Amino acid sequence: MMNKATCTSLSTVKEKNRDEALRGLVERLWSRVTPYRRKMEEAGMTAEDVKGLDDLASLPFTTKEDLRENYPLGLLACARRDVVRVHASSGTTGKPTVVAYTERDIATWSDMMAHRLAVAGVTDEDVFQVILGYGLFTGALGFHWGAERLGSMVVPAGGGFTERQLLLMEDLATTVFTSTPSYALHLAEVIAASDLADRLSLRLGIFGAEAWTEEMRCRIEEGLGIVALDSYGLSEVIGPGVAMECPERSGLHFDPGHFLIEIVDPETGEVLPEGVPGEVVITTLTKEALPVIRYRTRDLSRLLGADCPCGCGEPRLERIKGRCDDMLIIRGVNVFPSQIEIALSRVEGLALHYQLQVVEEGTMKELKVVCETEFPLSSEAVASLARKAVKSIQTVTTIRSEVELLPPGTLERNGGKALRVLRGPRA
Ligand code: DLL
């Protein structure tokens, strides 16, 4: 079985061959995928202009709109009969984005995920509970195949149904689980309110699919008595497994033999140097069915280099700060949901189950923050906490917001991505 030392991703491209891999990718998309060819022609390029990585920045970007416009499989780079699976993004508005995999893509993904999990410290001794939705969402199957490939005992529990999750955790002696961070926090609260803690064997949690903060990590780790690691990925690129923390927790490692990651200025598209924050842009070197060139993720982060104390030698991406699309502009001030999470975490007695409502009053936008308290409280205590929350939010963001506190358990926790931002006129 694989362990940390032996589990290296089989189909990754070695450093010296990355130029060749990029050239091959561009040639393949040029000859097989008309929308890519058209984009390159519009940029005044041909496939021959791309000799290697130095030419990456001259290639046009790919966006979510490109995938939507070519729905469902217009960007396929292989024969349709070679596709063995599709996934799709949830698509809150309009049609979902469909992504496709060949048999080799599935093997690459499993190997890549097994490697990421091994670097995170998962082994074949672990019982690995997958608390993510199985189905069109890439989350569960990505972790499932990776953990199975690593030799862990996989418990495909799926999302939600907290009581059943806890029963399985206890009876099967689960040691590692994956879920969204918001659901992990919910599990921590339910366990704290029960006598279960001593009967569980949990040691590690791997969380992703939504933005979360160090403050949230502290609460999860303290609540569950585990180490909590961050995992990043997106369906358009492959799914979860693109980047993941190691136990050093100082950035998410990724394999540059699978992914070329650039950081660009979200407004101008200009490539930014290592260490400068901007939008994450990803090119897939090894995917067959639906490779992407310079995919604009809309996620904000920065590159951290490869000098992690863990010594694995892979470059790192900093924790995702949020999405460009989630940035709120309230009275001229830019505000990210993660800043609100930090502000709320500083107020003792508040749970980190919250929602931001952007209330449009004419041309003005006001922020209303709805958040649960940790315990049921008197109305005076609620009013006092709400005042503290308003102050904390003002300290972190400079803006004045309205805060409404709700009793514990009011906001939905279905195991899927937490709905953090709601927009619209005042109800
Ligand atoms: O969320 C894949 C995934 C599943 C990743 C499970 C990790 C764990 P999508 O549904 O396509 O795929 O959503 C991708 O989710 O562009 C980010 O905005 C956000 N996201 C994913 N992981 C993180 C993370 C999956 N660790 C979108 N931190 C991405 C912050 C994340 N945001």
Side-chain angles (χ1 to χ4, degrees):
M1 268 310 140
M2 287 186 279
N3 58 34
K4 185 170 174 173
T6 59
C7 179
T8 48
S9 213
L10 302 178
S11 33
T12 182
V13 178
K14 295 278 174 292
E15 179 71 38
K16 62 178 173 17
N17 296 333
R18 291 196 305 155
D19 288 324
E20 194 182 312
L22 180 64
R23 237 175 11 243
L25 171 67
V26 170
E27 273 162 23
R28 202 148 49 88
L29 293 183
W30 171 268
S31 59
R32 294 194 191 171
V33 187
T34 311
Y36 267 108
R37 185 185 185 127
R38 213 177 292 133
K39 270 195 164 215
M40 285 182 65
E41 281 171 346
E42 277 164 19
M45 302 178 71
T46 73
E48 269 137 46
D49 294 328
V50 179
K51 308 273 185 284
L53 300 194
D54 288 345
D55 302 311
L56 181 64
S58 62
L59 283 159
F61 292 117
T62 307
T63 63
K64 186 139 190 134
E65 285 63 48
D66 292 319
L67 287 161
R68 286 221 175 95
E69 276 167 22
N70 294 288
Y71 174 88
L73 291 170
L75 295 182
L76 211 57
C78 68
R80 212 179 150 98
R81 67 172 176 282
D82 291 334
V83 173
V84 298
R85 193 187 315 159
V86 295
H87 280 284
S89 74
S90 45
T92 39
T93 50
K95 287 184 174 163
T97 316
V98 176
V99 292
Y101 304 77
T102 63
E103 198 176 339
R104 211 187 85 179
D105 287 334
I106 297 288
T108 305
W109 189 17
S110 309
D111 286 348
M112 176 193 299
M113 184 54 114
H115 173 63
R116 293 269 63 92
L117 292 174
V119 172
V122 182
T123 74
D124 57 358
E125 301 283 330
D126 279 305
V127 178
F128 194 108
Q129 191 160 327
V130 181
I131 311 184
L132 290 167
Y134 279 78
L136 287 173
F137 178 48
T138 51
L141 284 168
F143 276 98
H144 181 122
W145 283 61
E148 210 168 273
R149 173 97 179 85
L150 193 58
S152 305
M153 184 204 286
V154 175
V155 183
F161 302 102
T162 304
E163 272 179 36
R164 193 181 60 190
Q165 300 290 355
L166 297 175
L167 181 90
L168 290 168
M169 270 183 187
E170 182 181 359
D171 293 349
L172 294 169
T174 299
T175 52
V176 183
F177 77 101
T178 181
S179 71
T180 58
S182 52
Y183 195 71
L185 185 67
H186 168 62
L187 285 176
E189 289 159 355
V190 175
I191 291 169
S194 72
D195 59 355
L196 252 182
D198 292 342
R199 303 200 301 276
L200 297 179
S201 313
L202 294 177
R203 67 175 187 86
L204 178 65
I206 299 176
F207 307 119
E210 62 190 21
W212 55 311
T213 58
E214 280 306 308
E215 287 71 12
M216 178 82 128
R217 175 174 2 228
C218 282
R219 293 226 182 167
I220 293 171
E221 291 191 332
E222 276 168 21
L224 288 170
I226 61 170
V227 170
L229 300 182
D230 193 5
S231 157
Y232 170 70
L234 58 163
S235 46
E236 295 85 350
V237 166
I238 201 155
V242 172
M244 202 182 287
E245 283 181 323
C246 68
E248 295 290 337
R249 308 186 312 170
S250 63
L252 290 84
H253 289 284
F254 64 91
D255 183 341
H258 286 300
F259 305 113
L260 303 178
I261 301 193
E262 300 166 277
I263 301 292
V264 306
D265 181 313
E267 302 296 325
T268 63
E270 182 203 345
V271 179
L272 300 171
E274 187 178 299
V276 178
E279 181 182 345
V280 179
V281 169
I282 308 181
T283 299
T284 58
L285 282 184
T286 49
K287 270 179 76 189
E288 287 187 334
L290 205 94
V292 285
I293 289 185
R294 305 195 81 209
Y295 184 73
R296 300 281 299 249
T297 65
R298 312 300 289 151
D299 294 321
L300 297 165
S301 177
R302 61 193 177 117
L303 286 168
L304 294 178
D307 54 341
C308 178
C310 79
C312 82
E314 288 177 322
R316 290 164 301 158
L317 200 58
E318 191 175 57
R319 169 192 284 285
I320 303 290
K321 185 176 170 209
R323 290 181 60 76
C324 312
D325 325 326
D326 276 352
M327 190 183 78
L328 313 173
I329 304 179
I330 308 291
R331 275 175 266 130
V333 180
N334 297 350
V335 181
F336 282 100
S338 57
Q339 291 175 287
I340 304 294
E341 189 171 298
I342 290 169
L344 295 174
S345 77
R346 293 182 183 167
V347 182
E348 206 175 319
L350 294 185
L352 292 185
H353 296 289
Y354 63 94
Q355 246 170 23
L356 313 187
Q357 299 176 359
V358 183
V359 184
E360 286 160 18
E361 311 217 46
T363 55
M364 290 293 282
K365 286 196 181 112
E366 301 291 337
L367 178 64
K368 178 172 171 187
V369 178
V370 178
C371 179
E372 289 181 12
T373 58
E374 266 186 303
F375 306 103
L377 296 172
S378 67
S379 52
E380 293 79 43
V382 165
S384 154
L385 266 192
R387 278 194 299 275
K388 286 184 187 160
V390 169
K391 210 164 159 199
S392 181
I393 292 168
Q394 193 163 17
T395 307
V396 174
T397 64
T398 75
I399 60 158
R400 208 173 156 75
S401 56
E402 181 185 338
V403 171
E404 181 185 348
L405 298 185
L406 303 173
T410 317
L411 294 172
E412 195 182 356
R413 301 137 159 75
N414 59 14
K417 293 177 191 252
L419 184 58
R420 292 291 189 218
V421 182
L422 300 176
R423 295 168 203 261
R426 187 174 281 282

